[in-house]
């Protein structure tokens, strides 16, 4: 089953669930041939709604195998074990759910298509209940005291009541997930299903004329002997982007890419995931792993000018990789200016070289003709180091940022963040509260007095 078919069936199933047609929704979900972790989660919730505990356990098992970081799946499987009176396994899953929260007070799953917030204090609340069922009242009290450190004002009374019950060695009710709440497919991708023309207006075309120039994205097509009529080939879809970081997919919906790959973004959602095509394969990739590739195209009838005719694409190896475009034959001052702007460093703080060991240094005295001779197919790779010490740059968080992506840095409003590197103009890598990760630049403000 293709990704589009899976998306269509998923949307159809949650629509039935919205109408409370639970059996029909479950049948549609079960017809999906390769469910992702979210779909398996939805299947488990519907089985729980029907009190089919064994089937619910199997569905949550599959969800966790697909995504071992999905805390809410551990939480739900823990509740399934609790209902089956398998309290040791229930306790273990609540512990795993708490670990998957990675010290955060909560996880808001709205960005992933689930209108639910999983609170750490509620996970510890249920963990305490499972321990109480096992007769470990002391452990139950310890977990509830720990829950006080993660509580919110709205959850304070819940924890207090449970703590009072354990002091009297009385059981209390568990916090249960609203079973009618399901993961939903990305609304932007669903909207695309209704469009008949996915390509839109053709921007890049080619022909089969002998010796014709081509874009570099598809090989020259063979010419049929004595054929006069031209046959245009399919237009390229999406916007070209270069991959900055390696991405290993965790679900069947996602696409494996490595740095330097050129992918075409077909759709970008508000949840920071992009639906891309690479080597005729399609899938989801984190958009902050990509950087838009500027390609200038000029065409006349039946011809496409090669995008690198008037410019070079220069790939720079630094603490992170990036690319800049410069006109062919550019002097050193143009090249260093582009790199300087990209790194937000003065040109005097940057050293470029043609090799990884830094021996073939490029500076104002270098004959740039020798450098550009190294280019192949309009591309050249250079290495970059900073020759002047950098003062530490710190930011203050203007807003709280929480993400379920393990690569991201979570922080609260007012937290101090140390800059480690600039991934691109929209994303930085930083360190805060002992954690390291990437975060959106729009959420922070540079502290006064920071200078390079």
């Amino acid at each position: 089953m293709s990704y589009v078919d899976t998306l269509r069936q998923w949307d159809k199933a949650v629509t039935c669930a919205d109408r409370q047609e639970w059996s029909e929704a479950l049948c549609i979900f079960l017809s999906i041939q390769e469910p992702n972790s979210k779909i398996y989660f939805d299947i488990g919730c519907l089985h729980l709604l029907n009190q089919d505990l064994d089937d619910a356990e199997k569905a949550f098992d599959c969800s966790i195998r697909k995504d071992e970081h999905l805390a809410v799946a551990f939480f739900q499987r823990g509740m399934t074990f609790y209902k089956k009176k398998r309290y040791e396994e229930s306790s273990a899953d609540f512990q795993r759910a708490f670990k998957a929260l990675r010290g955060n007070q909560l996880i808001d799953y709205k960005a992933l298509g689930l209108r639910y917030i999983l609170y750490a204090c509620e996970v510890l609340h249920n963990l305490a209940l499972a321990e109480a069922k096992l007769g470990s009242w002391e452990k139950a009290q310890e977990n509830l005291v720990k829950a006080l450190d993660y509580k919110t004002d709205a959850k304070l009374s819940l924890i207090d009541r449970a703590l009072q019950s354990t002091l009297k060695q009385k059981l209390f009710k568990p916090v249960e997930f609203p079973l009618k709440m399901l993961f939903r497919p990305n609304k932007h991708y669903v909207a695309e299903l209704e469009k008949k023309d996915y390509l839109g207006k053709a921007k890049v075309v080619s022909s089969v004329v002998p010796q014709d120039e081509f874009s570099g994205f598809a090989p020259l097509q063979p010419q049929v002997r004595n054929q006069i009529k031209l046959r245009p080939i399919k237009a390229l879809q999406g916007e070209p982007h270069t991959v900055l970081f390696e991405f290993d997919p965790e679900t069947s919906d996602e696409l494996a890419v490595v740095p330097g790959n050129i992918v075409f973004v077909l759709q970008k959602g508000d949840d920071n995931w992009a639906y891309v095509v690479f080597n005729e394969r399609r899938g989801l990739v984190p958009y902050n792993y990509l950087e838009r590739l500027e390609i200038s195209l000029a065409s006349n009838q039946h011809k496409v000018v090669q995008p690198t005719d008037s410019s070079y694409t220069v790939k720079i190896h630094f603490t992170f990789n990036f690319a800049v475009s410069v006109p062919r034959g550019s002097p050193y001052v143009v090249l260093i200016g582009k790199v300087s702007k990209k790194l937000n460093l003065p040109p005097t703080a940057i050293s470029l070289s043609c090799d990884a060991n830094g021996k073939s240094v490029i500076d104002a005295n270098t004959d740039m003709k020798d450098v550009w001779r190294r280019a192949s197919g309009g591309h050249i790779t250079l290495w970059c180091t900073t020759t002047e010490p950098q003062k530490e740059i710190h930011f203050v968080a203007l807003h709280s940022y929480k993400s379920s992506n393990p690569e991201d840095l979570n922080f609260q409003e007012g937290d101090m963040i140390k800059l480690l590197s600039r991934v691109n103009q929209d994303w930085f890598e930083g360190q805060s509260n002992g954690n390291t990760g990437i975060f959106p630049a729009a959420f922070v403000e540079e502290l006064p007095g920071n200078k390079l």
Side-chain angles (χ1 to χ4, degrees), residues 70-271:
L70 195 61
V72 72
F74 283 113
F75 184 82
Q76 279 293 76
R77 192 173 69 176
M79 281 304 304
T80 304
F81 286 138
Y82 181 86
K83 291 175 182 292
K84 298 177 77 172
K85 299 182 180 182
R86 291 158 57 181
Y87 300 121
E88 289 185 359
E89 292 163 285
S90 177
S91 173
D93 263 353
F94 289 135
Q95 291 180 49
R96 295 186 184 101
F98 180 74
K99 184 178 179 181
L101 280 156
R102 296 181 298 157
N104 292 307
Q105 191 178 38
L106 56 88
I107 293 179
D108 188 346
Y109 285 98
K110 182 178 179 181
L112 298 179
L114 179 68
R115 299 191 188 99
Y116 182 72
I117 298 176
L118 180 66
Y119 290 92
C121 63
E122 292 184 336
V123 176
L124 292 170
H125 174 280
N126 283 11
L127 173 57
L129 178 59
E131 294 291 351
K133 283 285 190 178
L134 293 169
S136 302
W137 292 100
E138 187 175 341
K139 287 185 178 180
Q141 291 176 23
E142 290 175 358
N143 283 303
L144 288 171
V145 170
K146 187 176 181 180
L148 292 173
D149 295 331
Y150 291 90
K151 72 181 184 306
T152 61
D153 292 339
K155 304 297 178 181
L156 178 58
S157 60
L158 172 74
I159 304 302
D160 283 344
R161 286 196 302 270
L163 192 55
Q164 291 298 321
S165 295
T166 56
L167 292 174
K168 300 174 184 178
Q169 293 195 0
K170 292 184 177 180
L171 295 174
F172 46 93
K173 292 182 179 180
V175 175
E176 295 195 54
F177 180 88
L179 296 179
K180 297 179 182 180
M181 196 73 69
L182 302 176
F183 274 107
R184 297 171 179 273
N186 187 295
K187 61 182 180 180
H188 297 286
Y189 301 151
V190 173
E192 285 297 305
L193 296 177
E194 304 303 322
K195 297 183 179 181
K196 296 182 179 180
D197 182 10
Y198 286 89
L199 299 179
K201 185 178 179 181
K203 294 182 179 179
V204 182
V205 296
S206 184
S207 70
V208 293
V209 178
Q211 306 304 320
D212 192 12
E213 297 176 357
F214 62 98
S215 67
F217 302 112
L220 201 63
Q221 303 298 307
Q223 176 69 35
V224 179
R225 183 180 297 274
N226 299 326
Q227 182 173 342
I228 299 176
K229 185 177 180 180
L230 298 175
R231 296 179 298 158
I233 65 171
K234 183 175 68 174
L236 295 176
Q237 306 177 50
E239 296 291 339
H241 287 64
T242 184
V243 177
L244 300 175
F245 308 102
E246 183 176 0
F247 176 64
D248 293 321
E250 295 183 354
T251 71
S252 58
D253 297 337
E254 298 166 358
L255 184 65
V257 291
V258 297
N261 287 160
I262 304 298
V263 301
F264 288 81
V265 175
L266 304 177
Q267 180 73 36
K268 178 181 178 295
D270 292 336
D271 56 359

Side-chain angles (χ1 to χ4, degrees), residues 328-339:
R328 293 202 172 203
S330 292
Y332 172 77
V333 66
V334 173
L335 173 62
I336 197 66
K338 290 272 190 175
V339 177

Side-chain angles (χ1 to χ4, degrees), residues 242-244 258-262 291 293 312-318 320-326 335 339 352-354 372 378-384:
T242 184
V243 177
L244 300 175
V258 297
N261 287 160
I262 304 298
E291 183 177 60
L293 190 61
Y312 286 119
T313 298
V314 184
K315 181 180 179 181
I316 305 292
H317 281 278
F318 187 49
F320 56 92
N321 296 336
F322 62 93
V324 296
S325 179
V326 298
L335 173 62
V339 177
L352 298 177
S353 61
C354 294
W372 300 130
H379 295 77
I380 184 172
T381 300
L382 303 178
W383 280 258
C384 174

Side-chain angles (χ1 to χ4, degrees), residues 241 368 402 431:
H241 287 64
M368 294 303 292
K402 297 180 180 65
Q431 189 176 61

